[in-house]
Amino acid sequence: MHKRTAGLFVLALTLLLTGCNQDQNILERIGYIRIGAFDPAEGQDIRLTINVPLTINEGQNTKRLTEVLTVEARGSKEARNMMQNQSSRKLVSGQLRTILFNMELAARGLTPYLDTLIRDPSISKRTEIVVAEGSAQEMISKKYPGHPGADQYIDQLLRKEFEMQHVPHILLHQFIRDYYDDGKDPMAPLLSPKDASLELSGIALFHYDKYAGKVERAEFPYFTMLYQNQNKGEFTINTDDPSLKSITFSAIKSKRKIKVKKIREGKYAADINIRIEGGVLEYIGNLDLTKPDRKKLEGLIGEYVTKRTERILAKLQRIGADPVGIGQYVRNKMTYSAWKESDWNDLYANMEFHVHTRFIIKNFGNRYD
């Protein structure tokens, strides 16, 4: 009886180990696409490049390699089928994390490529959308010193910027949602090559699905205050004013409120109230933070932030991009039929913006005399 039981146990263990070995073999035949890049090709074709990290076990050693495949085709699905013929592994999109679109291609319009991505159930709707200044193919094919692969480098670079709230986190479903919302335009992080590395150089702005312009790196803090509430962050102000030569804040908390009103037929105005709190890390100026000068400094900072945010709003109007979603507030002031009959582009271009900023210094460290 005991021998029979032992025999059954050995048989079950053998089958289990055989199954594990088969699963391992299957996994070794799969290529998980981690990052993809779209570039324009000749005519209406696109150049699609994918980066597939490979792990190869050789005895006790494990090697991490990268397979980069590039093809030219009319559409992404045709390109993927062509890549299947080139790769030694079965390519799957379940681990796709980032998609880069060349700026020139983005200027033509991204709808044809996003539509097929959003319809593919194997592609996560949390995939990050990025615009590449220059060749997207080169960005994901290049080797970066200190990083095992381009996929991890780009993923970690973007994640760090998102967590520090330098730029809003834009995912595939958010880009699509803002595109189809007739009161808001989509946007995406903008990556640029810099020496042997990459940098997040701006925020790509869209008019409908077409790239229209960008927010510069120096404008990030002020744009983010317009776009969303913040609960952390850091930024520096530099001016020629002797009272405000340079000041750096950390632990930034900001809240915005937008109110839209109709001032006359076909004319709207928006009041944007921004409340900011932050701790002073460094201050260079002739005011004393421990005395009533502190209120004066808070007023100077508020005025400076107001000017910078109003300048950004003027730029957004000029290029016809509305990532802040001002159109949603205007739409709420109208009936549905009136909104549909109105020309939002014209209304937006002629809107008045009034930004009111209140800055509060929460702390400024200790000083010992």
Side-chain angles (χ1 to χ4, degrees):
M1 187 70 179
H2 292 292
K3 290 183 179 180
R4 183 180 179 185
T5 303
L8 290 173
F9 175 76
V10 171
L11 177 61
L13 183 62
T14 302
L15 291 173
L16 179 63
L17 292 174
T18 302
C20 291
N21 186 51
Q22 288 176 347
D23 290 341
Q24 183 179 3
N25 290 335
I26 291 173
L27 290 174
E28 289 176 351
R29 296 173 187 169
I30 294 177
Y32 292 99
I33 303 171
R34 291 287 295 276
I35 188 169
F38 287 76
D39 288 285
E42 187 175 352
Q44 296 299 314
D45 289 356
I46 57 168
R47 181 182 298 112
L48 179 60
T49 306
I50 60 171
N51 182 307
V52 184
L54 305 176
T55 301
I56 300 180
N57 297 317
E58 296 180 348
Q60 299 297 322
N61 299 321
T62 301
K63 290 185 178 180
R64 189 184 188 281
L65 304 175
T66 300
E67 182 178 34
V68 178
L69 299 174
T70 302
V71 298
E72 293 185 8
R74 184 56 55 90
S76 59
K77 295 308 179 189
E78 178 189 3
R80 179 175 169 177
N81 292 335
M82 294 169 65
M83 288 176 174
Q84 291 283 13
N85 298 331
Q86 297 179 11
S87 178
S88 62
R89 302 194 177 201
K90 179 182 178 182
L91 302 176
V92 295
S93 305
Q95 296 296 317
L96 183 64
R97 293 186 178 181
T98 312
I99 302 174
L100 275 68
F101 289 99
N102 169 266
M103 186 185 291
E104 181 184 337
L105 192 68
R108 298 181 188 175
L110 295 184
T111 301
Y113 317 110
L114 293 173
D115 182 71
T116 186
L117 293 173
I118 205 72
R119 291 176 185 274
D120 190 337
S122 68
I123 296 178
S124 171
K125 305 305 178 283
R126 296 188 60 80
T127 302
E128 293 162 355
I129 301 298
V130 180
V131 174
E133 190 170 22
S135 172
Q137 175 190 1
E138 291 182 9
M139 284 188 182
I140 72 169
S141 305
K142 189 176 179 180
K143 293 184 178 180
Y144 299 95
H147 300 278
D151 60 318
Q152 285 193 15
Y153 173 48
I154 293 174
D155 181 63
Q156 291 171 3
L157 172 63
L158 293 172
R159 191 174 301 277
K160 179 259 299 181
E161 296 284 351
F162 297 148
E163 289 176 353
M164 296 182 70
Q165 295 190 357
H166 289 162
V167 294
H169 198 178
I170 303 300
L171 305 175
L172 175 60
H173 75 92
Q174 293 170 315
F175 192 100
I176 293 291
R177 178 201 62 198
D178 292 345
Y179 166 68
Y180 282 108
D181 188 330
D182 55 1
K184 193 174 184 179
D185 287 317
M187 62 182 183
L190 179 63
L191 274 183
S192 301
K194 185 177 182 182
D195 301 326
S197 61
L198 299 172
E199 69 170 348
L200 189 61
S201 60
I203 300 173
L205 303 172
F206 287 78
H207 180 63
Y208 298 114
D209 69 329
K210 294 181 173 62
Y211 171 79
K214 68 177 180 178
V215 174
E216 302 288 348
R217 178 92 196 188
E219 298 173 320
F220 279 7
Y222 314 104
F223 175 80
T224 305
M225 291 173 193
L226 288 170
Y227 181 78
Q228 63 185 10
N229 295 337
Q230 289 179 282
N231 55 27
K232 61 180 176 181
E234 180 178 313
F235 75 101
T236 300
I237 292 175
N238 294 309
T239 74
D240 296 328
D241 188 332
S243 300
L244 189 59
K245 290 183 178 180
S246 180
I247 189 166
T248 299
F249 296 95
S250 67
I252 292 295
K253 292 184 179 180
S254 68
K255 291 185 178 180
R256 58 134 213 201
K257 290 184 178 179
I258 300 175
K259 293 183 179 180
V260 168
K261 59 184 177 182
K262 185 177 182 180
I263 53 180
R264 62 177 179 271
E265 190 62 34
K267 183 79 171 182
Y268 287 82
D271 285 294
I272 303 175
N273 294 281
I274 302 175
R275 186 181 190 275
I276 311 167
E277 297 179 1
V280 178
L281 286 179
E282 181 182 48
Y283 170 63
I284 301 174
N286 58 15
L287 298 180
D288 189 344
L289 298 184
T290 64
K291 295 181 178 180
D293 286 349
R294 182 170 167 182
K295 289 294 182 183
K296 178 181 178 181
L297 183 60
E298 290 176 340
L300 290 173
I301 297 167
E303 291 174 5
Y304 182 84
V305 172
T306 293
K307 291 179 181 177
R308 294 299 300 268
T309 50
E310 288 182 342
R311 199 181 304 166
I312 290 173
L313 288 166
K315 175 196 284 190
L316 298 178
Q317 282 182 292
R318 189 168 59 252
I319 65 177
D322 180 24
V324 179
I326 300 297
Q328 296 174 335
Y329 293 88
V330 175
R331 184 178 60 197
N332 292 340
K333 291 290 182 180
M334 299 182 179
T335 63
Y336 178 79
S337 58
W339 170 258
K340 287 301 180 181
E341 292 173 1
S342 66
D343 183 348
W344 166 235
N345 292 324
D346 183 64
L347 289 177
Y348 183 54
N350 292 285
M351 277 192 70
E352 294 181 8
F353 289 102
H354 307 286
V355 180
H356 314 278
T357 306
R358 184 187 177 195
F359 200 103
I360 301 172
I361 297 176
K362 295 297 292 182
N363 57 73
F364 47 89
N366 296 317
R367 192 179 80 176
Y368 299 93
D369 296 324

